[in-house]
Amino acid sequence: MDNQIKSKAGMKRRQFLKTSLGTAGLLGFPTIIPATALGKGGKSAPSERVRIGMIACGNRGRVAYEYAQMPDVEVVALADANLAKISQLKKHRTLSGKTFQETDDFRTMLQDDIDAVHISTADHWHVPSMLLAARAGKHVYVEKPLGVSIEQCLACNEVVKEHPELQVQYGTQNRSTAYVRPIMELVLNGHIGEVKQVYVWAPRGKAGGVHVPKPVPAGFNLDMWYGPAPVKPFSDDRCLKKTGIYYIYDYAIGFIAGWGAHPMDQLQWWLDETGMDIPEKVKASGVIPTTGLHDTVTEWDAELSYSNGMQIRFSDDKAIQKYLPKLDGFRPQSHGTLFVGSEGWVCCSRNRFQASSRELLDKRKDPGEKCLVHSKGGHARNFIDAIQGRNQTVTNLSSAIRSDIACHLVDLAIRNGGQVEWDGKKQTVVGNETAIAGMHRSMRKPWNVLDPKYAPGK
């Protein structure tokens, strides 16, 4: 275990926030806004707190508990198509007894005086709700993965280009742990020599799911829950159990992106810093269930080829076993990103990093000149710090677009003949007509919010 470390388990408010962010951009990061300048006793004045609305209140909606404990943040609005989830969320001690705007249609909160939204919906709502929030002038934390199609991922460039004043945090929280950034900095500063091989893997998906139609529960806005996705009869496995939104293709592309987003984002952090973009060619095989509700890829094995000749293996946790090199002291987990260099190796995951020697790990404390964004206090805290001009978001939207498209290329290759090619200049799949068609997902009216003319309330 010597070469492993793992975890143990004034102004008006809106004008103030805009001004502080703009000043930070002029001066360069970090710019500190003392809490004492905002309020008393370490608590920011109510008029200057970041007011945040939660879009979806299920599993990841529990990040509201983190926000509620921040002295300079106020959770003011809760939205979920299933009102029972709002009721459950409010029972937590951090929210109990407080008053919120509560709605089954998140668009109503976008009209209010809030500064930011945290999106933790099912995957098919991630991009539509983010675009609407950005058009309404709200900072956005959007959970991973990004879109349910490459077309949706590319539509996110609207936010990057047209709303540069907004902060966007992508929910790959591994970047904010103590186990990812130090490893990336070791690689970027040359401590393992020239990178020769990279391996990325994530847990497999699941087949199954049973469709037993039943009446829609009281307080469940089924039309809003489906939103841009096709309307299907209500059932527990489709609409209430999280496996439904993880493994049904109407709402997601499965664990290729649903879990793969984490180790692929770790890879993308390194790719961004070394000038590599989206893979130019993807060869992949996989398994798609033919019975039950679940119809996303459950097992996959892919080779990603990049413009500089680098080939990277991205597979599920079972398939990767036949490729991982036999390295002294290396103990694979269910997910990870492994870099093998000419002078050593390092591997990072959510709760552990490993290296070819203890001496190499010790260098993480002072890796060298190439430093990445340090997220202090967690992913949600980093988002708030970025809004207030103290830091940058550790996972920016441009990086998220690239890593998510890479995941989609694997899915499209499996579904369309085993290989796809990507034209980076034209930003499209080429040479495979069925895969090109697969870049698009129909969106149910009136939810085609990829059209920039669509605004909240229309």
Side-chain angles (χ1 to χ4, degrees):
M1 294 291 291
D2 286 346
N3 60 343
Q4 303 183 56
I5 296 181
K6 58 183 179 180
S7 65
K8 297 178 181 180
M11 309 176 191
K12 291 183 179 179
R13 177 183 53 82
R14 184 171 294 279
Q15 185 59 42
F16 171 84
L17 291 170
K18 288 182 177 179
T19 303
S20 64
L21 180 59
T23 303
L26 292 172
L27 298 178
F29 292 97
T31 297
I32 304 301
I33 306 168
T36 53
L38 304 180
K40 297 180 179 180
K43 190 82 171 179
S44 300
S47 61
E48 309 301 357
R49 295 177 197 162
V50 175
R51 292 165 56 88
I52 194 163
M54 305 299 298
I55 301 180
C57 299
N59 182 39
R60 288 300 296 161
R62 289 178 294 182
V63 178
Y65 308 156
E66 296 180 39
Y67 291 127
Q69 296 179 78
M70 297 178 190
D72 50 357
V73 178
E74 185 178 7
V75 179
V76 296
L78 305 174
D80 200 296
N82 184 358
L83 295 179
K85 290 188 176 181
I86 295 179
S87 297
Q88 185 63 34
L89 190 76
K90 291 194 304 177
K91 292 179 181 179
H92 192 268
R93 59 177 179 78
T94 60
L95 304 179
S96 179
K98 296 182 179 179
T99 301
F100 309 93
Q101 177 196 347
E102 300 175 23
T103 177
D104 61 2
D105 186 339
F106 71 87
R107 292 175 298 176
T108 62
M109 76 164 60
L110 300 183
Q111 308 300 324
D112 293 338
D113 188 24
I114 63 173
D115 303 295
V117 296
H118 185 114
I119 300 168
S120 53
T121 60
D123 298 357
H124 70 285
W125 262 119
H126 285 180
V127 168
S129 53
M130 178 180 68
L131 290 176
L132 293 182
R135 291 169 191 166
K138 315 302 182 185
H139 303 287
V140 178
Y141 183 125
V142 57
E143 293 288 354
K144 59 79 196 163
L146 200 53
V148 294
S149 70
I150 289 179
E151 179 184 48
Q152 288 192 7
C153 293
L154 293 174
C156 296
N157 283 306
E158 172 195 322
V159 180
V160 177
K161 295 176 181 178
E162 298 183 19
H163 305 280
E165 76 283 2
L166 298 179
Q167 295 296 325
V168 179
Q169 178 80 295
Y170 184 48
T172 47
Q173 63 267 31
N174 287 10
R175 287 200 190 190
S176 290
T177 70
Y179 300 95
V180 174
R181 176 188 50 77
I183 292 300
M184 295 299 145
E185 291 179 341
L186 287 176
V187 177
L188 291 171
N189 282 283
H191 292 293
I192 65 169
E194 181 183 357
V195 176
K196 298 291 188 180
Q197 300 167 306
V198 184
Y199 304 88
V200 183
W201 65 99
R204 285 155 282 171
K206 294 181 180 179
V210 178
H211 178 61
V212 180
K214 62 183 296 186
V216 180
F220 194 108
N221 186 335
L222 187 62
D223 186 71
M224 193 68 193
W225 191 90
Y226 283 123
V231 172
K232 301 287 180 66
F234 180 92
S235 66
D236 287 350
D237 280 8
R238 182 187 301 279
C239 303
L240 291 181
K241 295 183 179 179
K242 62 183 180 182
T243 50
I245 60 174
Y246 286 165
Y247 306 131
I248 297 178
Y249 205 59
D250 283 341
Y251 323 121
I253 69 167
F255 264 21
I256 285 177
W259 230 111
H262 288 300
M264 282 295 287
D265 174 71
Q266 293 165 184
L267 167 69
Q268 193 64 51
W269 210 0
W270 174 71
L271 293 175
D272 291 344
E273 296 297 321
T274 52
M276 285 190 276
D277 205 334
I278 298 166
E280 292 187 335
K281 181 183 294 185
V282 172
K283 296 180 180 179
S285 60
V287 175
I288 302 174
T290 56
T291 60
L293 276 180
H294 301 172
D295 56 355
T296 59
V297 172
T298 55
E299 301 176 26
W300 69 94
D301 185 7
E303 180 184 79
L304 315 181
S305 299
Y306 291 82
S307 58
N308 65 349
M310 172 72 73
Q311 292 183 334
I312 293 174
R313 180 63 53 178
F314 173 40
S315 305
D316 67 68
D317 56 345
K318 178 181 178 182
I320 199 67
Q321 298 302 321
K322 60 179 176 285
Y323 301 106
L324 290 176
K326 304 298 182 183
L327 302 170
D328 185 31
F330 176 53
R331 297 177 178 84
Q333 294 185 286
S334 63
H335 62 282
T337 308
L338 169 66
F339 296 88
V340 180
S342 58
E343 299 176 23
W345 60 266
V346 291
C347 182
C348 59
S349 63
R350 170 166 294 181
N351 53 8
R352 174 183 292 177
F353 46 47
Q354 306 177 60
S356 49
S357 69
R358 182 69 198 205
E359 290 73 23
L360 178 56
L361 277 182
D362 287 342
K363 293 179 181 178
R364 74 189 188 281
K365 300 172 184 177
D366 185 18
E369 295 182 356
K370 295 183 179 180
C371 295
L372 299 170
V373 175
H374 286 216
S375 176
K376 298 179 181 179
H379 218 51
R381 181 66 247 180
N382 173 251
F383 175 50
I384 299 301
D385 286 345
I387 292 173
Q388 295 181 330
R390 294 186 174 103
N391 206 338
Q392 296 169 302
T393 52
V394 68
T395 313
N396 64 70
L397 185 56
S398 295
S399 185
I401 293 169
R402 290 188 284 272
S403 64
D404 207 55
I405 288 177
C407 293
H408 278 281
L409 291 175
V410 175
D411 181 66
L412 288 177
I414 292 170
R415 294 175 179 272
N416 298 281
Q419 179 173 310
V420 294
E421 296 185 12
W422 178 258
D423 187 323
K425 292 183 178 180
K426 296 181 179 180
Q427 294 287 280
T428 183
V429 172
V430 294
N432 186 325
E433 293 303 318
T434 56
I436 293 171
M439 292 174 56
H440 167 78
R441 292 278 193 110
S442 295
M443 300 179 74
R444 188 170 65 96
K445 293 182 179 180
W447 296 109
N448 185 12
V449 300
L450 302 192
D451 181 350
K453 295 179 182 179
Y454 189 112
K458 290 187 178 180

